[in-house]
Each structure stands twice: as C-alpha cells, then as structure tokens.
C-alpha cells in the first residue's frame, strides 16, 4: 500500500501537459495486480487492425494502472487449451473460430461489444474489430477509475455515424480553432513526416467511440484533391485505421472548375455528365488510396460557398452527385443543412428571418436524397448559440437520414478561455420532443434513426483540436470532447456522471478535486448564458469580427440575420405565425402552439420567439430588462468563484495543469465582468431604464484611467462604447512609448485587492508595472494572445478587454498608485480603470 501511495504521489508531482487527455493510466492506489488475468490473448492478429491496437492499449493501460506487465499472446503461438486466466480480445466471429463455438452473449450491432469480467478470464468481444477496441477502452476506463467490479454486459452505439469534423485549412490554420495549428496540414499539404499526434488523436477518439473524422474545413479548398494530397490523406487514413477511425473529406462544390490535374471543366453543374464523370474519377482515385474512406462532407450555397443553386439544381441533386460517386465504394455523403443567404437578408423586412432558412431550403426535398446521403443539421436554427430551440428541420425531414451537428470547439461560447461544460446544453436539445404527428419524437430518437426508421443517422461535432499539448487549448475543455463521444454512444447518459468519469480519469480520485470540478462545470453553461445573452437573445458577441467578446450592436443592421431588433422600448425577434416571421409554424402543431404564444413560451426562449417591451413581466415576475441586469450580475458572480474554488486544489492537481487552469479561470472571472458591464450598460443606455438594484453604471470602487494624472497617456474613446468603463480608456501618446497614470488613494487604510482593467491587443506586447508610493507591487506583459488562444483583436474592444488583479495589497489613505505602461508595436499600453476593492468586493 505504502509503495502504491508513493507511486501516486510521484504521479502527481510529475509535470502533466495534458497531452494524454483522459488516457493517462495513472497508478490507481487500490489496484491489485494479483487480481488480473495472467496474459492478453489477441484473437484478430493483423498488425494494423483495431484488435491488435486494443491488445497493445490493454498492455499499456495495465502497466500504468497496476505497474504490472502482461504479455500479449496470439492464438498461433499459444496453446488454446490453456486459457485459464486471460484477457481475451477479438471479434465474436474470431472467438467462435478459435474456440470452436459462438459465445452465449446478448445481441451485438455494428461497433457494439460484450464485456465480461465475471470469471477468471476477461472477455472483450466486438461485433467487429472496432467494437472489440471500444470494449477494451471501456474495460480500461473501469480499471483506471478504480472500478474492479464484476460486470457482464453488451453495449451498442446509439447510431452508426459518430464523427468529428475538423475545420483545418490546408495552410495549417484552423477556422474557429483555439489550440494552435493543424495536426494534419501545413503549407498546403499533409504533414506526412509528423503524424504522431494523429495516432494519439485516434486513440482519444476511439476511446469514446468516435468512428469517423473529416480532416479539412467545410469551407473547403479544392486543392485537397491533388494527387500529392490524396497520398497524404492515405497516410492519415493509415494512421487512424488501427483505431477504427475512418477518414472523410470536405469538398468544394466547384472543384471541377478549379484547375486541378483531373481536367479543368468550365462548369460544376451537378447534372452535367462531364461533372458527374469528373467526380466519379476523383472518387475512384481516392478510394484506390483509401479503400475504407468514410465519405464526403459538403457545405454548399452557404456563406459564399458554391453549390447546385448556381445552376438552378436542388440541394438534393447537388448532394446526390457525390452520394452516387461514393455509392459503389460504400461511402457516405454528409450534406450540411447550414444553408442560408448571408447577402440579401434584410432586417427592415419584419418577416425575414435566417432561422427560417434551413426548412425553406429543404422544402420539397424530403425523400429526394440518395440512400447513402445524410443531412447534417446544426442543433439550432441559427449557429451554435448559447441558447437556441432545437432545429425544426429534425422533424421536417422524415424520409431523409439526418445527423445532429454539435460544436466542441467553443466558437460562440468563450473560445476555450471560458469554462463552459456543454453536454447539458446538448442534452436539452437531444431530449426535446418535437411531437411530430402528435407522437413522442425526441430529437435523439430522430438522429439515431429510430423515430423515422432511417438506416443511416448520428452525430457530428466540430472539434478543432490543434498542436497545443492540451489539444483544445484548455485542460477543462477536454470534458466536452469526452462528453461528446459518450453522448453520441448513448444520448440518454447523464452529463454529470459523464463528467465525473472524466474527472477521475483526468485528475484522479481526490474528493475535493471531484466536487470542485463538478460544481464549476455544471454551473458553467448557465453562468455563461447569464453573462453573455439570456432569455433566448443569443450570445451577444461580435458577429462581424471574432465571436468572442461582447458587441450586441453588431447583431443588427446587417444581412447575417442574427438580429435582436432591439430599440429604445423593445427587443426580440417576433417569430410567430400571427405577427412575425412565421418560424414557430415550422414546428409540428403542438410545439408551434407553445412557441406561438408568449404565455406558453419558456422564459429562456422568450426573445427568440417574441418581440416584447423591456418592461414586459416574465413568469418569474421580473421585467425583461431587470432580468437582463440580474442575470448578468448573477452569471459573472458565479464566474468570480471559479478561481477561488480552483485554488483549493493546489497540491491536489499537478503544478502545470493547476497553474494553467488557474490562469484561465482567473481570466474568465475578469472577462465575465467585461461581458456583464458591456451588456448591462448597452441596454441601460438603449432603454433608459434604471437597474432597481442600482448596480448598472454605478461603480464606487473604480478609478477611471482617464481621470488619473496622465503623463504621455491620453484619453481614447472606445468602440463599441460599452466595452470601456465610462466609454473611455487611455493609450500612450503617439510621440511617446512610456506613459504613466497616477492617483492618490482616498481610502481607509487597510488591505485591498487592486484590479486593473486593460486591453491586450494582437500585434504588440506592452509592458505594465503597478506601484504604490513608487514601490512596485506588480508587473505584467500584454501577451494574452500568446497564452489564451482565442481569436485575437487589434482594437480596444470587448475581445481585448482583460483584467489583472493583485491581491492583499496594504494601502494607507493618501498612498499614490501609479501605473507605468510601455507601448509595443500596435499596442499602446491601453488602460481602462483600476478598482481598489475591499476584500470580497467585486467591481
Ligand atoms: C459559422 C462559423 C463559420 C463556419 C460556419 C459553418 O458561421 O462562424 O466559421 O464556416 O459556421 O458552420 O459552416
């Protein structure tokens, strides 16, 4: 016991970069190797197959968890009569072959497995090799969590399609990726000489049951199809193959006219025989290199992408072009439902609505898609917002296979700089009942093919891992990737118990670690919704620039269609049939009736469906505007607790992951205040209605930078105005690089936290120092762009606004506080305000 405890302690002390994700196989204190079988028998022994990978994984896992090595034996070199105590892994068919008879086990489906730990031997049997691998990962997950109980059960996935999408560009950048460059691509080609991260990604994906991956951006570049790239894609497919992850490609619809080597056509009309031949030829060529390619993903006629509508062909005709080319090879065509006109939507027309687009574009097409085609539908009708109703297209397409599209990468949800645990959001959508034909029609039963009896169906998640050691940019965000796989395997799973499994696997067994991460994660989506955009108004971020910080104004007055229609008196999209855009009528009658009326619409979707006065009372009794104020304060108050909660884990989590996470949670606490203040000030300004609790616009502990004594600093009017306290910041003067801002503190002598709000721009690393009576109490550099990974900003705005806090500063009345800022590059050491906070106060 003592040596195991020692080992555990050593495990903690070792630096953990996060690169192992949840597959750490850390020593488990209660693991006793004498309870283990004596060897591993790998039945399907082909060296690059999933069963072989599973045997190796079992060997490595056991070595880590038990500090004990097991041999892997192959039937050819082993006396089968001697299987007294083994971990037997293989397909059911191979088991029957080897042992002369099928095991008596429950019905398995594709990718399903049977796990039996009740005897002296452990049986891990898959319907196919992939299923056996999933069973091995499940067994290892039990052991790694210290669960040595006897189990015997079968598990089958809820749907055949459990894919991830990577929005990787061929130049190595990743659209909406926040963890560094691509693990697949660089400089226009596949990184064939450094695919180790691909192997590791394959293991992570297999361990959560993911069986397919699209390896390039949906805004696709035709050059993915050059012979050199096809060869590279083959290498990626070879690397993923042992993990049962099949590779697919995102296509550019106009590729035939992109001057690739396959003959440059002047058209990409999907019904033109030359175009049909062109795609068949390219598809055959790819399958010659990747015989098990999963298929294609196509984004067409959306956000500037080419598509069949250019030739007056339907979306189904466009999709079937590829489906037909894939059909002889057994490939699947996934066609995105994310189709809308981002050029002509006109907000001045009351009845126009981007939310209507998907059902409108697919009207008349149900049943027109080829059997191997699947329509991939974002969970909500707009775009991965913090709160949306489930897309009505799930109910509209009844004779077409569908998959739900989720986002693990937190494009609109804090870009991995804010902790937001997403499975609770996904579960609300998956559990939603569409009441199609007045019959129970849960979204999860639709996307698993059960409700409308569809053969193909499932899930896709945009993940966007990068080369960062943490995969997603933040250690805690990995719970979202883990949760995605688990929910796709079984959408009835409980998000909190998934999270608890992930915590044990990722951070070990300390009960405080468990309760802290669980508390923070489970409160994080509600908190984020509260401080970014509540009542169904959507994430009030900057939709014209990066989707990170606040900018409510940017939602309106442009054709992107994420409108709020806010004016001085009222706010919200009227999506009723009776008086609005008619969107609510896209749902089956029972659901439509709920959303059509304000009285039956849930508060959290009120402004999604209705345009109301700020003074309209909610079901809670609060008015809309007071709820805005209260929610934003409540949400950011929750975020304030995260760094404190996390600090209790010092010494219980290894230093590297502890420090990196503390840094992010501290950033989030500060940025949640930027959100809170921006949104509440914006609507306070617009409505002229005061906060009954007198918080909005009232900041007794702040000293505005522009009101300090400035040397070589000057006031700067920030846009959008609400992203600066009192609308104004200061920047160093054009003719100087170093400026100072000082003030005499008129506070009671005592201990304070001193918070400084500043702006951290991309393109410079300004340096700051904070001094009290000329004695430095802190210094920092404006280098968040190197550390955080969110899309950087070159302006003073809601993306670049940040806060740094110096704790427990002893201050006497009359002390002089001085900040010195040294500009660098385009970053003029911008400052917004300083808060001198009695302990426990947030302002
Ligand atoms: C969002 C996102 C884009 C992406 C698009 C899509 O609009 O901001 O970057 O290309 O969705 O899903 O296709």
């Amino acid at each position: 016991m003592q040596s195991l405890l020692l080992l555990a302690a050593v495990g903690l002390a070792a630096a953990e970069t996060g690169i192992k994700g949840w597959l750490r196989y850390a020593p488990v204190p209660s693991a006793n190797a004498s309870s283990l079988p004596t060897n591993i028998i790998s039945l399907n022994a082909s060296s690059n197959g999933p069963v072989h990978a599973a045997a190796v994984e079992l060997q490595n896992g056991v070595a880590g968890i038990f500090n004990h090595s097991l041999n892997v034996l192959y039937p050819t070199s082993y006396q089968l009569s001697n299987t007294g105590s083994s971990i037997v892994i293989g397909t059911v068919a191979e088991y029957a072959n080897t042992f002369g008879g099928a095991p008596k086990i429950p019905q398995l489906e594709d990718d399903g497995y049977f796990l039996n730990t009740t005897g002296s031997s452990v049986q891990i049997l898959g319907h196919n090799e992939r299923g056996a691998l999933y069973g091995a990962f499940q067994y290892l997950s039990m052991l790694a969590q210290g669960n040595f109980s006897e189990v015997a059960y079968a598990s089958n996935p809820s749907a055949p399609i459990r894919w991830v999408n990577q929005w990787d560009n061929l130049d190595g950048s990743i659209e909406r990726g926040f963890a560094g460059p691509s693990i697949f691509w660089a400089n226009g080609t596949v990184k064939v000489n450094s695919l180790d991260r691909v192997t590791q990604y394959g293991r992570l994906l297999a361990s959560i049951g993911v069986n397919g991956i699209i390896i390039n951006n949906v805004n696709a570049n035709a050059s993915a199809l050059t012979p050199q790239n096809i060869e590279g894609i083959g290498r990626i497919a070879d690397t993923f193959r042992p993990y049962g992850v099949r590779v697919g490609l995102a296509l550019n619809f106009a590729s035939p006219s992109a001057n690739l080597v396959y003959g440059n056509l002047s058209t990409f009309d999907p019904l033109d025989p030359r175009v049909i031949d062109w795609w068949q030829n390219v598809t055959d060529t790819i399958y010659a290199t990747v015989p098990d390619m999963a298929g294609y993903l196509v984004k067409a006629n959306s956000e500037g992408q080419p598509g069949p509508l250019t030739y007056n062909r339907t979306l189904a005709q466009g999709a079937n072009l590829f489906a037909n080319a894939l059909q002889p090879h057994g490939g699947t065509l996934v066609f995105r439902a994310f189709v809308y006109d981002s050029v002509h939507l006109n907000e001045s027309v009351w009845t126009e609505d981007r939310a209507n687009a998907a059902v409108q574009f697919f009207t008349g097409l149900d049943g027109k898609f080829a059997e191997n085609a699947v329509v991939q539908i974002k969970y909500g009708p707009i775009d991965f917002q913090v709160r949306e109703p489930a897309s009505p297209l799930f109910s509209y397409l009844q004779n077409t296979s569908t998959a739900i599209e989720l986002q693990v990468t937190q494009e609109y949800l804090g870009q991995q700089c804010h902790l937001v645990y997403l499975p609770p959001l996904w579960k609300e959508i998956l559990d939603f009942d569409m009441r199609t034909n007045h019959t129970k029609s849960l979204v999860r039963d639709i996307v698993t093919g059960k409700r409308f009896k569809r053969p193909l169906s499932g899930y896709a998640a945009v993940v966007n891992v990068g080369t960062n050691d943490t995969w997603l940019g933040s250690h805690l965000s990995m719970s979202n990737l883990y949760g995605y796989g688990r929910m796709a395997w079984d959408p009835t799973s409980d998000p909190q118990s998934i999270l608890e499994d992930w915590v044990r696997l990722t951070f070990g067994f300390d009960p405080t670690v468990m309760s802290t991460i669980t508390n923070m994660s489970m409160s994080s989506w509600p908190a984020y919704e509260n401080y970014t955009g509540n009542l169904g108004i959507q994430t009030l971020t900057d939709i014209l620039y990066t989707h990170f910080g606040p900018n409510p104004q940017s939602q309106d007055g442009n054709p992107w269609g994420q409108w709020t229609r806010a004016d001085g008196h009222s706010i919200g999209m009227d999506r009723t049939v009776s008086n609005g855009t008619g969107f609510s009528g896209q749902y089956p009658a029972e659901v439509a009736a709920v959303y059509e009326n304000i009285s039956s619409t849930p508060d959290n979707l009120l402004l999604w469906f209705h345009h109301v006065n700020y003074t309209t009372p909610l079901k809670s009794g609060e008015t809309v505007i007071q709820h805005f104020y209260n929610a934003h304060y409540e949400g950011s108050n929750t975020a304030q607790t995260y760094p404190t909660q996390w600090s209790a884990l010092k010494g219980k989590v290894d230093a590297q992951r502890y420090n990196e996470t503390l840094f992010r949670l501290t950033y989030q606490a500060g940025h949640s205040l930027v959100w809170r203040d921006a949104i509440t000030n914006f609507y306070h300004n617009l409505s002229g209605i005061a906060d009954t609790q007198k918080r909005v616009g009232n900041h007794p502990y702040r000293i505005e930078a522009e009101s300090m004594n400035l040397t070589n600093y000057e006031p700067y009017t920030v846009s959008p105005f609400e992203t600066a306290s009192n609308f104004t910041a200061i920047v160093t003067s054009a003719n100087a690089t170093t400026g100072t801002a000082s003030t005499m503190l008129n506070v009671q002598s005592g201990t304070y936290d001193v918070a400084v709000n500043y702006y951290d721009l991309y393109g410079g690393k300004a340096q700051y120092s904070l001094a009290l009576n000329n004695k430095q109490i802190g210094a920092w550099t404006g280098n968040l762009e190197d550390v955080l990974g969110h899309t950087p900003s070159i302006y003073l705005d809601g993306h670049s606004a940040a806060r740094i806090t110096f704790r427990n500063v002893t201050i006497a009345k009359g002390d002089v506080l001085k900040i010195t800022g040294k500009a660098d590059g385009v970053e003029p050491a911008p400052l917004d305000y300083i808060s001198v906070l009695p302990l426990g106060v947030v302002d």
Side-chain angles (χ1 to χ4, degrees):
M1 187 65 177
Q2 217 169 17
S3 65
L4 280 172
L5 281 179
L6 193 71
L7 254 181
V10 170
L12 258 191
E16 294 217 35
T17 62
I19 200 154
K20 293 179 181 167
W22 52 85
L23 297 178
R24 293 161 59 247
Y25 304 133
V28 173
S30 55
N32 177 357
S34 66
S35 64
L36 281 174
T38 47
N39 51 46
I40 299 163
I41 302 182
S42 171
L43 295 178
N44 308 58
S46 75
S47 68
N48 63 353
V51 168
H52 179 77
V56 173
E57 193 75 30
L58 286 165
Q59 197 177 30
N60 290 337
V62 164
I65 297 164
F66 292 84
N67 189 24
H68 178 78
S69 63
L70 293 180
N71 287 331
V72 179
L73 305 174
Y74 301 92
T76 43
S77 63
Y78 184 69
Q79 298 303 315
L80 283 172
S81 53
N82 207 1
T83 56
S85 167
S86 307
I87 301 172
V88 181
I89 173 124
T91 59
V92 175
E94 196 58 30
Y95 185 93
N97 252 343
T98 315
F99 296 104
K104 288 197 177 40
I105 61 171
Q107 177 83 32
L108 294 184
E109 293 161 21
D110 265 356
D111 295 356
Y113 62 85
F114 176 68
L115 173 62
N116 181 0
T117 65
T118 58
S120 55
S121 284
V122 172
Q123 287 173 315
I124 306 174
L125 304 180
H127 183 74
N128 49 18
E129 286 212 31
R130 197 185 283 124
L133 176 62
Y134 296 159
F137 274 116
Q138 176 57 24
Y139 177 54
L140 284 169
S141 169
M142 279 180 67
L143 300 179
Q145 293 184 63
N147 177 356
F148 308 108
S149 60
E150 299 202 328
V151 296
Y153 65 89
S155 183
N156 290 306
S158 72
I161 296 177
R162 303 177 308 279
W163 292 8
V164 297
N165 295 175
Q166 286 276 145
W167 288 354
D168 297 32
N169 296 311
L170 308 194
D171 66 4
S173 63
I174 304 181
E175 182 154 345
R176 316 299 177 190
F178 311 110
S182 172
I183 63 171
F184 302 110
W185 303 92
N187 306 317
T189 56
V190 172
K191 294 162 76 170
V192 284
N193 295 321
S194 53
L195 294 178
D196 180 57
R197 289 294 295 269
V198 176
T199 307
Q200 301 313 324
Y201 196 24
R203 289 177 58 238
L204 287 169
L205 293 177
S207 74
I208 51 171
V210 170
N211 62 0
I213 181 168
I214 301 293
I215 54 171
N216 59 322
N217 192 355
V218 284
N219 296 320
N221 185 334
S223 307
L225 304 175
T226 63
Q228 187 191 1
N229 278 335
I230 291 176
E231 205 187 311
I233 292 160
R235 295 285 298 280
I236 294 175
D238 293 345
T239 311
F240 274 130
R241 192 166 293 112
Y243 304 100
V245 180
R246 295 200 300 162
V247 162
L249 283 182
L251 298 181
N252 184 303
F253 204 93
S255 304
S257 52
N259 209 10
L260 302 171
V261 289
Y262 313 98
N264 182 22
L265 307 182
S266 53
T267 175
F268 53 91
D269 177 354
L271 297 193
D272 187 311
R274 291 170 300 163
V275 172
I276 295 171
D277 281 354
W278 193 96
W279 279 113
Q280 190 65 60
N281 173 29
V282 169
T283 305
D284 294 348
T285 307
I286 303 175
Y287 272 93
T289 306
V290 189
D292 57 353
M293 183 173 71
Y296 294 142
L297 174 65
V298 177
K299 170 179 180 178
N301 290 114
S302 170
E303 301 184 333
Q305 292 301 314
L309 302 182
T310 310
Y311 295 94
N312 284 326
R313 310 303 186 193
T314 68
L315 297 178
Q317 286 170 325
N320 292 345
L321 166 70
F322 306 106
N324 293 339
L326 290 164
Q327 198 275 334
H329 302 283
T332 300
L333 181 270
V334 182
F335 194 81
R336 294 181 86 226
F338 186 65
V339 182
Y340 72 103
D341 183 346
S342 54
V343 178
H344 300 107
L345 276 173
N346 182 353
E347 189 172 358
S348 64
V349 181
W350 185 251
T351 51
E352 277 199 13
D353 188 358
R354 170 173 163 188
N356 283 336
V359 168
Q360 277 171 358
F361 274 101
F362 284 77
T363 295
L365 300 184
D366 189 22
K368 300 274 166 56
F369 289 84
E371 276 301 289
N372 62 329
V374 176
V375 174
Q376 179 170 308
I377 306 171
K378 287 190 183 182
Y379 62 80
I382 298 277
D383 197 4
F384 302 130
Q385 299 298 296
V386 71
R387 171 80 59 181
E388 294 190 52
S391 170
L393 195 61
F394 290 119
S395 174
Y396 181 80
L397 295 178
Q398 300 176 19
N399 301 297
T400 304
S401 296
T402 56
I404 190 169
E405 182 173 318
L406 307 170
Q407 231 186 12
V408 164
T409 192
Q410 297 168 230
E411 174 185 353
Y412 287 94
L413 286 102
Q415 305 195 345
Q416 277 91 295
C417 301
H418 291 237
L419 167 65
V420 185
Y421 179 57
L422 296 166
L425 185 169
W426 301 334
K427 188 156 177 64
E428 280 214 22
I429 300 283
L430 290 165
D431 283 352
F432 185 76
D433 189 350
M434 288 281 176
R435 304 294 305 158
T436 313
N437 300 326
H438 303 285
T439 305
K440 185 172 176 188
S441 306
L442 305 183
V443 171
R444 66 170 132 94
D445 291 337
I446 295 172
V447 300
T448 52
K450 294 184 182 68
R451 173 66 180 87
F452 301 130
K453 306 203 169 26
R454 299 300 310 168
L456 275 174
S457 57
Y459 311 78
V462 183
V463 176
N464 296 352
V465 300
T467 53
N468 189 287
D469 277 356
T470 62
W471 295 94
L472 285 169
S474 140
H475 299 290
L476 295 186
S477 297
M478 286 292 271
S479 59
N480 289 325
L481 178 54
Y482 180 81
Y484 165 65
R486 291 280 306 269
M487 297 285 291
W489 188 270
D490 177 5
T492 65
S493 312
D494 170 38
Q496 181 164 332
S497 61
I498 292 175
L499 177 73
E500 288 168 1
D501 287 352
W502 176 80
V503 172
R504 275 186 290 269
L505 294 169
T506 307
F507 292 106
F509 300 95
D510 187 288
T512 316
V513 173
M514 173 62 77
S515 61
T516 302
I517 298 180
T518 307
N519 285 341
M520 291 194 313
S521 302
M522 292 308 291
S523 69
S524 61
W525 172 45
Y528 190 81
E529 178 178 25
N530 274 338
Y531 64 74
T532 62
N534 49 307
L535 301 179
I537 197 65
Q538 309 175 44
T539 316
L540 291 168
T541 188
D542 190 331
I543 65 155
L544 300 176
Y545 188 27
T546 148
H547 301 164
F548 181 63
N551 188 351
Q553 180 105 58
S554 72
Q555 313 273 311
D556 291 285
N558 57 60
W560 291 103
Q562 297 187 207
W563 306 323
T564 70
R565 292 196 185 281
D567 61 20
H569 305 284
S570 52
I571 182 168
M573 282 292 290
D574 185 339
R575 292 192 157 112
T576 61
V577 174
S578 55
N579 188 50
T581 72
F583 170 76
S584 66
Q586 291 189 347
Y587 290 92
E590 289 178 46
V591 174
V594 169
Y595 290 148
E596 181 70 14
N597 295 302
I598 292 187
S599 59
S600 49
T601 304
D603 279 352
N604 61 22
L605 284 173
L606 179 68
L607 303 181
W608 180 281
F609 283 104
H610 300 282
H611 185 83
V612 300
N613 288 336
Y614 291 113
T615 50
T616 301
L618 302 174
K619 297 187 177 55
S620 64
E622 286 171 326
T623 61
V624 164
I625 191 72
Q626 191 58 40
H627 184 274
F628 260 63
Y629 299 150
N630 293 349
H632 283 81
Y633 274 81
E634 194 184 317
S636 68
N637 280 346
T638 302
Q640 300 317 302
T641 68
Y642 291 166
T644 327
Q645 288 194 56
W646 183 260
S647 299
L649 307 189
K650 194 174 171 93
K652 297 175 186 290
V653 168
D654 57 282
Q656 180 166 347
R657 292 188 300 168
Y658 172 82
N659 287 328
E660 288 172 355
T661 302
L662 181 61
F663 183 81
R664 272 176 194 259
L665 294 171
T666 305
Y667 171 83
Q668 175 177 9
H671 199 233
S672 75
L673 297 176
V674 172
W675 268 101
R676 177 197 78 182
D677 293 346
I679 303 300
T680 54
N681 279 320
F682 181 83
Y683 290 104
H684 180 241
N685 192 276
L686 193 61
S687 68
I689 300 173
D691 167 22
T692 57
Q693 295 193 42
K694 302 193 170 54
R695 296 158 300 189
V696 178
N698 181 17
H699 300 287
Y701 300 94
R702 287 186 189 177
I703 302 163
E704 295 295 337
E706 64 274 17
S707 70
M708 295 169 75
N709 300 317
L710 305 181
T711 310
N712 291 334
Y713 254 123
E714 54 199 47
Y716 181 91
T717 307
V718 173
S719 170
F721 71 85
E722 68 276 9
T723 58
S725 193
N726 195 35
F727 319 147
T728 316
I730 60 169
V731 295
T732 47
S733 312
N735 55 0
T737 53
T738 303
T740 61
S742 62
T743 188
M744 185 185 285
L745 297 177
N746 185 18
V747 295
Q748 276 185 7
S749 302
T751 305
Y752 294 84
D753 290 340
V754 179
V756 181
N757 272 55
Y758 66 108
Y759 298 85
D760 196 329
L761 276 49
Y762 180 67
K765 310 241 185 306
Q767 287 176 355
Y768 301 87
S769 103
L770 177 70
L772 197 61
N773 298 334
N774 284 324
K775 190 164 166 266
Q776 190 178 29
I777 52 176
W780 72 101
T781 304
N783 64 349
L784 290 178
E785 65 271 34
D786 294 343
V787 209
L788 284 175
H790 69 71
T791 324
S793 165
I794 54 168
Y795 306 109
L796 278 70
D797 56 22
H799 319 297
S800 60
R803 163 177 281 218
I804 188 164
T805 306
F806 300 92
R807 306 248 167 230
N808 297 316
V809 182
T810 309
I811 297 176
K813 190 173 176 141
D815 281 353
V816 175
L817 195 67
K818 182 167 91 179
I819 299 194
T820 307
K822 188 161 178 260
D824 180 58
V826 302
E827 191 168 80
L831 291 165
D832 186 5
Y833 65 92
I834 297 172
S835 279
V836 179
L837 302 163
L839 300 189
V841 171
V842 178
D843 185 20

